[in-house]
Amino acid sequence: MNLKKLLALLLAAAMLMALAACSGSGDDDADASDNSGGDTVYNIGIIQLVEHTALDNATQGFEDALIDLLGEDNVTFNFQNAQGEGTNCVTIANSLVSEGVDLIMANATSALQAAAAATADIPVLGTSVTDYATALDISDWTGVVGNNVSGTSDLAPLEEQAELLAELCPVEDYPTVGLIYCSGEANSVYQVTLVAEYLEEMGYTTAEYAFADSNDIASVVTNACADCDVLYIPTDNTAADNTETINNIAEPAGIPIIAGEEGICQGCGIATLSISYYDIGYITGEMAYEILVNGADVSTMEVQYAPEVTPEYVAERCEALGITVPDGYTAIEAN
């Protein structure tokens, strides 16, 4: 073999080894990338019933979780605000299904109901939903919806909420409790029914004051303040969107309000047993990652709850009403 042929063979062998090394390096990079979803860009539809602090925080937590887990280049969010209208939720849900999104996050009960009705194939994860059995009309609730729907709940223990009211507003001083809620929100009805039972067992007299929408909140709250010693408002989206109206009536009347969540409490309440909506949104995002990347079966995923609840109070309102708050409560600012 002459020298030229030998050099040509050696050069060819070196090129083959270099190509093999590059190929092996590429496989390692692909494997590492697969841990965060690879090169796939996931298109996520978000239906949020209305913009207010609690729901906004849940959506932020959801988006942050997926960006943390997938990387911001591997996920896009199609956020749609339904402006507080259930009919808008239906329109948005159908649009997202037509678009062929990879997953729908439904923020609040009406959004979940619309998404669940719009598709049986695309995974749907709810958040800020109090009771999935009530929202989806499930009679034999086991903790799992059993189809393409799962998610997280914003339910803080209702019996403990009643106990919080009793601790701050004892029955001998505040014998009558008005329960304020939107009649169009199924989960508000659910909460009010149970809280009323707990309060009546403690000796309180309860009365329900329901409003159909934001147009009659002022008149309903005015009547409740005239009739009752203390008010209770559950995790109600319409109330959350109208806390200024509620506060402008209750505060001059000297009527304390116990709220079902932090945003309502900051807007018009004196105290709440609250969860972190950001945390449940983040947990929902982690569930979405398991479905999208790791192939988790949404039909077997249990509905998740907030990891902890915190008793909170608004100091300036409690002081103005002469209400003493025991140790163990966290102070929050009024809006």
Side-chain angles (χ1 to χ4, degrees):
M1 180 180 295
N2 61 37
L3 182 58
K4 287 184 178 180
K5 287 186 176 180
L6 179 59
L7 289 173
L9 287 171
L10 290 173
L11 180 60
M15 291 177 65
L16 286 171
M17 291 177 66
L19 287 170
C22 290
S23 174
S25 174
D27 287 344
D28 290 342
D29 290 343
D31 288 343
S33 180
D34 283 346
N35 290 332
S36 61
D39 295 328
T40 302
V41 178
Y42 295 99
N43 185 16
I44 310 299
I46 298 176
I47 312 170
Q48 183 170 313
L49 175 63
V50 66
E51 288 185 329
H52 64 68
T53 302
L55 300 191
D56 292 346
N57 287 343
T59 292
Q60 189 64 60
F62 176 79
E63 292 181 350
D64 286 353
L66 283 175
I67 289 171
D68 289 346
L69 294 166
L70 292 170
E72 61 182 355
D73 294 333
N74 289 338
V75 60
T76 63
F77 300 105
N78 183 349
F79 173 86
Q80 299 287 331
N81 173 20
Q83 304 292 338
E85 298 291 337
T87 53
N88 289 343
C89 289
V90 173
T91 301
I92 294 167
N94 289 329
S95 175
L96 293 175
V97 171
S98 297
E99 181 184 327
V101 296
D102 296 302
L103 181 142
I104 296 173
M105 191 277 267
N107 194 347
T109 300
S110 296
L112 178 70
Q113 292 168 330
T119 179
D121 302 313
I122 298 172
V124 173
L125 292 177
T127 193
S128 313
V129 177
T130 303
D131 183 65
Y132 281 71
T134 299
L136 301 175
D137 195 24
I138 300 172
S139 58
D140 54 344
W141 179 245
T142 63
V144 176
V145 176
N147 51 26
N148 64 316
V149 177
S150 189
T152 56
S153 169
D154 64 355
L155 179 65
L158 295 174
E159 186 171 9
E160 291 180 28
Q161 291 187 47
E163 290 170 353
L164 180 146
L165 185 150
E167 183 171 53
L168 298 182
C169 301
V171 65
E172 56 270 22
D173 298 322
Y174 301 86
T176 305
V177 181
L179 304 159
I180 309 292
Y181 66 99
C182 178
S183 58
E185 296 189 33
N187 281 298
S188 296
V189 177
Y190 167 81
Q191 292 173 79
V192 161
T193 300
L194 288 181
V195 169
E197 291 177 4
Y198 294 131
L199 290 172
E200 287 169 5
E201 288 174 1
M202 298 175 185
Y204 290 92
T205 298
T206 66
E208 296 184 10
Y209 295 85
F211 49 86
D213 54 39
S214 59
N215 294 320
D216 58 349
I217 285 181
S219 61
V220 168
V221 174
T222 298
N223 291 336
C225 287
D227 298 340
C228 302
D229 304 299
V230 56
L231 305 182
Y232 174 79
I233 303 177
T235 56
D236 184 285
N237 291 297
T238 309
D241 202 33
N242 291 273
T243 55
E244 183 177 0
T245 298
I246 297 170
N247 190 59
N248 287 342
I249 298 166
E251 190 170 88
I255 301 298
I257 296 175
I258 305 298
E261 55 94 358
E262 183 179 274
I264 297 175
C265 186
Q266 289 179 304
C268 62
I270 64 161
T272 181
L273 186 66
S274 188
I275 66 165
S276 166
Y277 278 78
Y278 181 89
D279 286 351
I280 63 170
Y282 200 96
I283 293 169
T284 311
E286 292 175 325
M287 295 172 74
Y289 176 82
E290 290 299 317
I291 293 166
L292 296 169
V293 177
N294 294 331
D297 183 357
V298 63
S299 70
T300 65
M301 299 178 82
E302 291 189 359
V303 169
Q304 301 295 306
Y305 296 83
E308 59 184 21
V309 293
T310 304
E312 299 174 336
Y313 76 106
V314 177
E316 61 188 78
R317 292 192 186 121
C318 289
E319 291 170 6
L321 292 167
I323 293 174
T324 301
V325 179
D327 294 337
Y329 284 67
T330 299
I332 57 175
E333 297 294 326
N335 287 340

